[in-house]
Amino acid sequence: MLESYVLDSTATRHDMDSLARKYLDHQTILFEEVAGKGAKQLSFNQVAIEEAAPYAAEDADITLRLHETLWPKLQAEAGLRAVYQDIEIPLIPILAAMEQRGVLVDRKLLAIQSRELAKRLHEIEAQAHDIAGQPFNLGSPKQIQEILFDKLELPVLSKTPKGAPSTAENVLQELADQGHELPRVLLEHRSLSKLKSTYTDKLPEQIDTDTGRVHTSYHQAVAATGRLSSSDPNLQNIPIRTEEGRRIRQAFIAPEGCRLLAADYSQIELRIMAHLSRDEGLLAAFAADADIHRATAAEVFGIPPGQVSGDQRRSAKAINFGLIYGMSAFGLARQLGTDRGSAQRYVDLYFERYPGVKRYMDETREQAREQGYVETVFGRRLYLPEIRDRNGQRRAAAERTAINAPMQGTAADIIKRAMLRVETWNKGSGLGVTLIMQVHDELVFEVVEKDLELAKSGICEAMEGAAELSVPLRVESGAGHNWDEAH
DNA sequence: AACGGCTCGC
DNA sequence: CTGCGAGCCGTTC
């Protein structure tokens, strides 16, 4: 298996080593997933291999064991085999090429931002010490906790899993809203120091001295839902939410003569929910290409879409995201900042308007209990041994995962298929297009300037055709000299 | 080195 | 007591 795919690949001699290493890494990870860690029921994304446990202790040849354990299991299940052979294996050389190509980062711009952040952090620190009446380490949750809850005697709104008073963002935000000054200052310090340490300071250190680029690693067998993960550096959590954060994205740049092209799926998980649930209202909304959060708000609040207020749309958005995550009324209440009763009424009203969604959620939980796993549209499986746990909390967590995994996992399948389609199209296009990043529902390319328009239409077409669901897939794209401009 | 707490993304 | 990740710092061992 290993040998044949290495020989079949289109790799050049130059990148043969890194590609071969990626196949080996991949295989090693599979083996660890299959035979490692002493789990009772062992699973790689798709495959449960109970029989593999005895091999875990052996210092055995990995390839041989895979042939004996994983491969027969895959062959026996058509859906699993297809996911593995038609998606995961052909994706390997694409990921290897993205890693090797890397992303150009503007080191000087990050250095400027780092100095600005240092200055502001210093000012904030002095301000915080002044308010507290004593010096303390703003980076230490423990010391913050002592200052806020012992010295200043602010109310403890929430505790960490270990029982300590929490100083997390939402807690500080609530205290700040109550008019306390120190929490507001701490919040600003937290977000800015995160930007400085992770992005403006550490990221430049990871620029390769030979290529002048950062070369991430993508992992195929880490996320249980089938998503990719990215590390060293992680390019899937580059800031975007705040103005400060978006400046970091300005340091991800296109080389001379190129632009960055970013193409992302619009509301892909909600579209998948519409497809899986076959809910008429949801299907109709997407068929009409409606603003889905506005449409949801109109249904739930019983008003025409044109009369939906900003707050109502925000509430509907929270409900929609909550549904994808399998959220409870309690969690929704916390998100919306209302009481549990009101949140429950929203949920009840939602399920009244979208009965297909309610039915789908119930059926998914039931299916998970009966078969012990859930699956994506393309047959990727996630095993949920805790779905029958006697501990209610663990069982509830497994049920939320059961709800979420088919949607998150199908989205992962679709963008992986899109990457294969884009690369197939690209080989014959004769255009200067290079895939350089994947961020869950987004692909980023370096494109030679004169090819931009053709690239844009080719890429969007390949992405939108990556799956035939009962709702259309929509892709939005933009281009610019840096990643911020491309959005 | 491992873990807890926190914050960044989708 | 809303899903999936990675990485930083401080603290503890």
Side-chain angles (χ1 to χ4, degrees):
Chain A
M1 185 167 66
L2 173 69
E3 291 80 0
S4 67
Y5 277 111
V6 170
L7 293 176
D8 283 348
S9 83
T10 55
T12 64
R13 275 194 75 77
H14 176 69
D15 57 22
M16 199 66 191
D17 278 354
S18 72
L19 182 60
R21 193 165 55 245
K22 193 151 189 68
Y23 280 106
L24 277 168
D25 283 351
H26 184 65
Q27 188 163 249
T28 305
I29 291 163
L30 291 190
F31 181 74
E32 287 171 0
E33 291 291 326
V34 167
K37 297 165 195 162
K40 287 196 192 94
Q41 185 175 36
L42 300 147
S43 65
F44 160 59
N45 283 340
Q46 306 89 354
V47 191
I49 314 270
E50 298 87 344
E51 305 92 291
Y55 300 123
E58 290 183 27
D59 184 19
D61 173 64
I62 290 167
T63 304
L64 181 63
R65 295 303 171 209
L66 275 169
H67 277 288
E68 289 178 356
T69 60
L70 182 65
W71 196 238
K73 279 280 182 184
L74 280 169
Q75 293 297 338
E77 296 275 0
L80 300 180
R81 195 187 67 221
V83 169
Y84 191 68
Q85 283 191 301
D86 300 342
I87 299 178
E88 299 298 343
I89 292 295
L91 193 65
I92 292 174
I94 295 174
L95 295 176
M98 291 164 72
E99 293 176 6
Q100 195 166 332
R101 171 73 170 213
V103 182
L104 201 55
V105 172
D106 185 342
R107 181 196 297 271
K108 283 183 186 162
L109 185 58
L110 290 177
I112 293 168
Q113 293 181 8
S114 177
R115 280 193 294 275
E116 288 176 11
L117 287 170
K119 186 161 165 265
R120 287 179 56 190
L121 283 167
H122 201 74
E123 290 163 4
I124 291 167
E125 191 178 30
Q127 206 180 341
H129 291 173
D130 198 44
I131 299 168
Q134 67 176 85
F136 64 100
N137 184 349
L138 276 74
S140 164
K142 199 178 157 209
Q143 291 182 35
I144 289 176
Q145 180 204 116
E146 285 162 13
I147 297 278
L148 287 180
F149 303 116
D150 295 341
K151 184 163 187 204
L152 299 179
E153 297 185 332
L154 300 185
V156 176
L157 300 174
S158 161
K159 296 197 170 184
T160 68
K162 295 281 281 181
S166 170
T167 66
E169 183 181 3
N170 57 340
V171 176
L172 295 185
Q173 189 62 59
E174 177 61 31
L175 290 170
D177 291 344
Q178 289 176 14
H180 300 291
E181 201 181 0
L182 190 53
R184 185 184 57 76
V185 174
L186 290 175
L187 276 173
E188 193 176 359
H189 188 274
R190 281 257 178 86
S191 63
L192 293 185
S193 63
K194 170 79 178 181
L195 291 181
K196 181 171 188 295
S197 64
T198 306
Y199 303 109
T200 67
D201 291 351
K202 298 291 171 182
L203 196 58
E205 292 174 16
Q206 304 190 57
I207 297 173
D208 187 294
T209 45
D210 293 335
T211 64
R213 290 167 173 253
V214 292
H215 300 265
T216 188
S217 297
Y218 288 105
H219 311 280
Q220 283 174 281
V222 173
T225 52
R227 273 191 179 176
L228 296 178
S229 77
S230 158
S231 70
D232 308 297
N234 180 358
L235 296 184
Q236 294 180 324
N237 72 344
I238 303 301
I240 191 168
R241 223 179 59 242
T242 65
E243 181 54 43
E244 284 296 334
R246 276 197 295 279
R247 295 182 61 203
I248 305 287
R249 290 196 171 219
Q250 294 169 4
F252 287 75
I253 55 176
E256 191 62 37
C258 287
R259 300 284 166 88
L260 292 188
L261 175 66
D264 65 287
Y265 283 110
S266 163
Q267 307 294 355
I268 188 165
E269 291 188 3
L270 283 174
R271 287 170 195 268
I272 291 164
M273 186 167 88
H275 173 84
L276 288 170
S277 69
R278 300 188 192 85
D279 182 275
E280 284 178 29
L282 219 46
L283 290 173
F286 280 120
D289 205 23
D291 172 342
I292 193 64
H293 301 313
R294 177 173 295 275
T296 302
E299 287 289 346
V300 170
F301 296 108
I303 52 176
Q307 289 176 25
V308 170
S309 71
D311 268 349
Q312 287 171 322
R313 188 179 179 280
R314 257 189 299 283
S315 297
K317 192 174 175 181
I319 294 173
N320 281 331
F321 274 98
L323 287 163
I324 291 172
Y325 297 155
M327 188 171 62
S328 64
F330 183 94
L332 181 63
R334 201 164 45 116
Q335 184 69 35
L336 293 176
T338 64
D339 59 293
R340 192 187 172 139
S342 315
Q344 185 63 55
R345 280 195 292 281
Y346 286 146
V347 173
D348 291 344
L349 218 47
Y350 181 94
F351 284 140
E352 215 172 283
R353 301 291 184 216
Y354 300 100
V357 176
K358 171 73 175 154
R359 192 168 53 241
Y360 167 71
M361 302 268 161
D362 292 339
E363 284 170 4
T364 303
R365 277 189 213 95
E366 182 58 25
Q367 187 195 0
R369 250 190 307 277
E370 279 173 8
Q371 12 180 75
Y373 63 85
V374 290
E375 57 190 356
T376 66
V377 168
F378 296 95
R380 182 189 302 274
R381 287 184 190 171
L382 179 68
Y383 282 83
L384 298 161
E386 299 202 332
I387 198 81
R388 293 162 170 281
D389 204 289
R390 281 173 29 256
N391 179 322
Q393 203 169 323
R394 266 198 290 242
R395 200 171 56 242
E399 286 179 358
R400 289 194 295 275
T401 305
I403 300 290
N404 172 261
M407 294 184 266
Q408 191 183 122
T410 299
D413 292 343
I414 289 174
I415 195 158
K416 284 175 171 177
R417 288 165 55 94
M419 293 165 78
L420 300 173
R421 283 170 57 92
V422 165
E423 290 301 83
T424 301
W425 159 81
N426 196 16
K427 266 180 211 148
S429 75
L431 302 176
V433 173
T434 313
L435 178 59
I436 58 169
M437 283 191 275
Q438 191 255 40
V439 191
H440 306 308
D441 64 356
E442 172 183 8
L443 298 178
V444 182
F445 303 82
E446 282 176 1
V447 180
V448 171
E449 278 168 7
K450 66 173 170 53
D451 294 337
L452 255 176
E453 287 313 307
L454 286 173
K456 197 178 259 192
S457 56
I459 288 163
C460 287
E461 204 172 300
M463 289 176 74
E464 287 178 344
E468 292 285 337
L469 304 183
S470 42
V471 291
L473 289 176
R474 265 203 59 204
V475 172
E476 294 169 347
S477 67
H481 291 97
N482 62 59
W483 197 6
D484 184 37
E485 269 184 22
H487 271 278

